[in-house]
Amino acid sequence: MAKSVVFVNRYFHPDHSATSQMASDLAFHLAARGWDVAAITSRQRYDDASAGLPRVEEVNGVRIRRVRSTRFGRAGLLGRAIDYVTFYVSAYAAMRAARWSSR
């Protein structure tokens, strides 16, 4: 049985933020080595809060599940905090449901 891992990060491929690049690179590397890899991330990009990335896709062997969150963006501290809280609540719900993760 292959080893498995789930990455949870607000940003993931194709986003270009630092944490997105690190998580994506590691996820793609592990998938190429035979690991069962999934990622839970948001549907927006760091530099474009209005972007709408696909809800579910597979890229380079990594199953990506994008969850909804608020889209206040980086304009203010309160809005940014609300964005993070709603992302983590949605990510937790996605992990609990776990239906998307079965192959």
Side-chain angles (χ1 to χ4, degrees), residues 49-81:
S50 66
L53 298 169
R55 188 178 70 79
V56 176
E57 70 177 328
E58 185 166 325
V59 177
N60 297 333
V62 176
R63 290 169 292 122
I64 303 170
R65 166 74 161 92
R66 293 190 177 91
V67 297
R68 292 197 181 276
S69 64
T70 55
R71 295 173 179 255
F72 292 108
R74 298 181 297 162
L77 184 60
L78 179 60
R80 187 182 297 192

